Amino acid sequence: MSLSFRHDTLGQRVRFGSGQAAEALAAEVEEGGWSRVMVVAGASEAELAARVTGGLPVAHVHDEVVMHVPVPVAERARAAAAAHDADVLVSVGGGSTTGLAKAVALTTGLPIVAVPTTYAGSEATNVWGLTEGSTKTTGVDPRVLPRTVVYDASLTLSLPVGLSVASGLNALAHCVDSMWSPHTDPIDQALATEGIRALDAGLPRVAADPTALEGREETLYGAYLSAVAFASAGSGLHHKICHVLGGRYDLPHAPTHAIVLPHVLALNGPAAPAADARIARAFGADDGLAGLQRLRARLDAPRALRDVGLEESQIPDAARAILPVVPPSNPADVGVEVLGDLLRRAWEGADPR
Amino acid sequence: MSLSFRHDTLGQRVRFGSGQAAEALAAEVEEGGWSRVMVVAGASEAELAARVTGGLPVAHVHDEVVMHVPVPVAERARAAAAAHDADVLVSVGGGSTTGLAKAVALTTGLPIVAVPTTYAGSEATNVWGLTEGSTKTTGVDPRVLPRTVVYDASLTLSLPVGLSVASGLNALAHCVDSMWSPHTDPIDQALATEGIRALDAGLPRVAADPTALEGREETLYGAYLSAVAFASAGSGLHHKICHVLGGRYDLPHAPTHAIVLPHVLALNGPAAPAADARIARAFGADDGLAGLQRLRARLDAPRALRDVGLEESQIPDAARAILPVVPPSNPADVGVEVLGDLLRRAWEGADPR
């Protein structure tokens, strides 16, 4: 088969080291020649942000962080950046915090140094999002890609174990789905493979001991790779299914991903043997599904959509709603019957096949 | 072990597709809004360059390409770019051609779109080199990183099979050495692993049938990854050894790499089990050395330094010359006796150990 692809590698520095965030930030701000830092950090991150930005020339701390970045919140942050004459944005927090910094960078062109405290991955992408009322607008712009990401796993220690595992499994779903997403290429697949390896090594350690740094480090590193791969590859079948289930029936994000993923892998794996072999290698398992199921068992991951709010009677409607958004490039043939069967098994908590 | 690293990902677009160079170049030049292309291509590449740049608004074709980019050659190319008011450089050729375009970009800031015709890898790095007399100066500058690389394996079909294999093994050495180079990090290692996989798949196919595109594609893709990984990770023990052997005794570049590599892998593999496991996985072999030796056997790679010009009596001198440049971070302990033993085995063509 001939190799043909286009891949845009996003230029970005990563500084990775536990307990090193303050030092790394100081080095970055000095190297950038910046002297008026606007710190973006929500109230719940205030103490942590103060600790890691204590050595910086801070001109303003902006703590109005709201999920999904509502436009008025973004406008106030932009006004604050201008009022305080900021020359760099340092975000400390999860996806919403990074997202707010991106909203400011989008219109001001200010560089971002991002310090993530969750496994959300937004820090590694050039995607921004804003909401106006109930409408979410997203876009891609080189200005919103953080110049540098400072990963310090000690900052994730306060993330509760349940949320950590859910967020880590979400990252894993990004990696697996990247294998057959519409824009996938071998580079995405190689990075996703490494992401699976890291998440498979890290997540069970986080679950076993949420205070142990090494599991946090592996998981954070894996989450970074999952974001890089997924941002380039785009949404595959798995994310299309979960998006419909979440949007139409208000199912919870992370458990839905955790439940659906093995069923998509069971469907696509045999139709995409090279991708399945990569996933298997990453897990150190005989095939991709065996590796995923072993990890899910170790994490006691949720099994059934019936347990998270889907009604049996909604399955046919869900299958019909998913059908038009199935990527034409999906490796396995997917009709409404295949979708119905997949959803029924996921609903029951049956073994994937 | 705690994970701590700094990684600079270089932002660059890759367009990969056999027979698609002309189309890809047209798309890039249009998207860049450029209207005065300076084509850089040596006389031996003239026909090929004319073919792939035929659809572009070419202001000038510059064909004075000389190995190692002598300063006067660079100066004349810079003057030509100014005289013709070029707004983009399109290089078509091997490492020397890309290098000349980089020399122009270094002082003019002109963007480069590189079309490599060998497996040299320079197109994926921000490293430039110039020679003045017998002195080579190299440096790192973001301006010299090509904006886009257009990989078209059909352009490598004229590369003779011997040179292809030698150049591919050189790329393989970049991948293997990246596993323990001084600045290595897990991202470099993941990319190098993918590079080994691709080169191991591609090189035997090139050797078996130099006109088959698929082997060329895998090899070109692997060479790209080897350059990305190596540019970030830096020179490890293998390259330090080969640099001394080449510089001090004028041994030929590619065969020296091919001969020395298994001996370095035999030395470092057991001391770096995680790296060795990655190499083994990439080869689909029990350990890294077994995989490398299988590939070398399929390629009938050279075995002995005595066959490429090293004298037995030079071994002690070589070991002493290498000792001071051994990276302190090398996984295996390396003293003058270890080096002497390694060189003797490589000289004899003995099995590595």
Side-chain angles (χ1 to χ4, degrees):
Chain A
M1 205 181 69
S2 189
L3 198 59
S4 178
F5 65 85
R6 188 186 111 173
H7 182 87
D8 288 309
T9 298
L10 305 180
Q12 185 180 53
R13 173 176 293 176
V14 167
R15 285 183 181 264
F16 199 107
S18 293
Q20 299 174 29
E23 192 184 334
L25 280 174
E28 285 299 307
V29 169
E30 185 179 343
E31 193 177 323
W34 300 307
S35 59
R36 300 192 60 81
V37 174
M38 173 157 138
V39 175
V40 179
S44 57
E45 250 80 50
E47 197 182 331
L48 194 152
R51 183 149 50 85
V52 299
T53 63
L56 307 182
V58 174
H60 174 56
V61 177
H62 198 82
D63 68 357
E64 192 199 18
V65 172
V66 179
M67 266 218 323
H68 303 306
V69 196
V71 168
V73 172
E75 289 296 353
R76 284 192 286 275
R78 291 163 177 164
H84 293 279
D85 198 19
D87 56 8
V88 65
L89 304 165
V90 172
S91 63
V92 182
S96 303
T97 311
T98 312
L100 180 58
K102 285 178 162 185
V104 177
L106 181 65
T107 56
T108 62
L110 287 175
I112 300 173
V113 178
V115 187
T117 59
T118 71
Y119 308 132
S122 166
E123 68 279 0
T125 81
N126 56 2
V127 179
W128 56 265
L130 286 165
T131 54
E132 192 140 27
S134 64
T135 306
K136 181 154 191 171
T137 308
T138 63
V140 166
D141 194 294
R143 284 174 299 183
V144 309
L145 178 74
R147 177 88 64 99
T148 297
V149 184
V150 173
Y151 285 113
D152 179 342
S154 72
L155 307 181
T156 68
L157 287 175
S158 59
L159 200 63
V161 64
L163 196 56
S164 300
V165 167
S167 180
L169 283 174
N170 190 42
L172 187 77
H174 286 144
C175 292
V176 172
D177 217 25
S178 289
M179 294 293 175
W180 40 64
S181 294
H183 304 293
T184 191
D185 64 54
I187 303 169
D188 297 335
Q189 292 167 9
L191 294 171
T193 302
E194 172 75 353
I196 293 171
R197 188 200 61 71
L199 291 165
D200 184 51
L203 278 171
R205 300 172 78 174
V206 171
D209 178 4
T211 67
L213 263 182
E214 289 183 21
R216 296 280 183 182
E217 288 177 347
E218 289 274 14
T219 304
L220 192 57
Y221 169 60
Y224 157 72
L225 292 169
S226 80
V228 174
F230 191 68
S232 169
S235 286
L237 179 64
H238 170 78
H239 282 81
K240 296 298 186 184
I241 292 174
C242 292
H243 187 75
V244 169
L245 293 177
R248 205 168 174 97
Y249 315 108
D250 204 26
L251 302 194
H253 185 77
T256 302
H257 276 281
I259 294 165
V260 169
L261 187 61
H263 296 276
V264 172
L265 181 51
L267 176 67
N268 274 348
D276 196 64
R278 282 188 190 260
I279 299 170
R281 267 203 306 275
F283 278 119
D286 289 339
D287 60 63
L289 185 60
L292 175 60
Q293 294 295 64
R294 186 180 62 198
L295 174 62
R296 281 168 40 82
R298 293 175 73 182
L299 300 176
D300 199 18
R303 283 181 68 91
L305 292 176
R306 70 197 297 172
D307 298 337
V308 297
L310 190 70
E311 301 295 329
E312 186 173 11
S313 60
Q314 293 170 322
I315 292 175
D317 173 66
R320 283 191 300 272
I322 292 163
L323 189 63
V325 295
V326 171
S329 60
N330 190 63
D333 282 337
V334 175
V336 74
E337 276 176 42
V338 169
L339 287 172
D341 185 54
L342 184 154
L343 289 171
R344 175 161 303 279
R345 300 188 73 80
W347 180 81
E348 284 172 356
D351 283 337
R353 67 175 183 204
Chain B
M1 205 180 71
S2 190
L3 198 58
S4 179
F5 64 87
R6 187 185 111 173
H7 182 87
D8 288 308
T9 298
L10 305 179
Q12 185 179 53
R13 174 175 292 174
V14 167
R15 285 183 182 266
F16 199 106
S18 293
Q20 298 173 30
E23 191 185 332
L25 281 175
E28 284 300 307
V29 169
E30 185 179 343
E31 193 177 323
W34 300 306
S35 59
R36 300 193 60 80
V37 174
M38 173 159 139
V39 175
V40 179
S44 57
E45 250 80 50
E47 197 184 330
L48 194 152
R51 182 149 51 84
V52 299
T53 63
L56 307 182
V58 174
H60 174 56
V61 178
H62 199 83
D63 68 357
E64 192 201 17
V65 172
V66 180
M67 266 218 322
H68 303 307
V69 196
V71 168
V73 172
E75 289 296 353
R76 283 192 287 274
R78 290 163 179 165
H84 294 279
D85 198 19
D87 56 9
V88 65
L89 305 164
V90 172
S91 63
V92 182
S96 303
T97 310
T98 313
L100 180 59
K102 285 178 163 184
V104 177
L106 182 65
T107 56
T108 62
L110 286 175
I112 301 172
V113 178
V115 188
T117 60
T118 71
Y119 308 132
S122 166
E123 67 279 0
T125 81
N126 55 4
V127 179
W128 55 265
L130 286 165
T131 53
E132 192 141 27
S134 63
T135 306
K136 180 154 191 171
T137 308
T138 63
V140 167
D141 194 294
R143 284 175 297 182
V144 309
L145 178 74
R147 178 90 64 99
T148 298
V149 184
V150 173
Y151 286 111
D152 179 342
S154 72
L155 307 181
T156 67
L157 287 176
S158 60
L159 200 63
V161 63
L163 196 56
S164 300
V165 166
S167 181
L169 282 174
N170 190 42
L172 187 77
H174 285 145
C175 293
V176 172
D177 217 24
S178 289
M179 294 292 175
W180 40 64
S181 294
H183 304 294
T184 190
D185 63 54
I187 302 168
D188 297 334
Q189 292 167 10
L191 295 170
T193 302
E194 172 74 353
I196 293 170
R197 188 200 61 69
L199 291 164
D200 184 52
L203 278 171
R205 300 172 78 173
V206 171
D209 178 4
T211 67
L213 263 182
E214 291 182 20
R216 295 280 183 182
E217 288 177 346
E218 289 274 15
T219 304
L220 192 57
Y221 169 58
Y224 157 72
L225 292 168
S226 81
V228 174
F230 191 67
S232 169
S235 285
L237 178 63
H238 170 78
H239 282 80
K240 296 297 186 185
I241 292 174
C242 292
H243 187 74
V244 169
L245 294 177
R248 207 168 173 96
Y249 315 108
D250 205 25
L251 303 194
H253 186 77
T256 302
H257 276 280
I259 294 165
V260 169
L261 187 61
H263 296 276
V264 172
L265 181 51
L267 176 68
N268 274 348
D276 196 63
R278 280 188 193 259
I279 299 170
R281 267 202 306 276
F283 278 120
D286 288 340
D287 60 62
L289 185 60
L292 175 61
Q293 295 295 64
R294 187 181 61 198
L295 175 62
R296 281 168 41 82
R298 295 174 73 182
L299 300 176
D300 198 18
R303 283 181 67 92
L305 291 176
R306 69 197 299 170
D307 298 336
V308 297
L310 191 70
E311 301 295 330
E312 186 173 12
S313 61
Q314 293 170 322
I315 292 174
D317 174 66
R320 283 191 301 270
I322 293 163
L323 190 63
V325 294
V326 171
S329 61
N330 190 63
D333 283 335
V334 175
V336 75
E337 275 175 43
V338 168
L339 287 172
D341 185 54
L342 184 154
L343 289 171
R344 175 160 303 279
R345 300 187 73 79
W347 181 82
E348 285 172 355
D351 283 338
R353 68 174 182 205

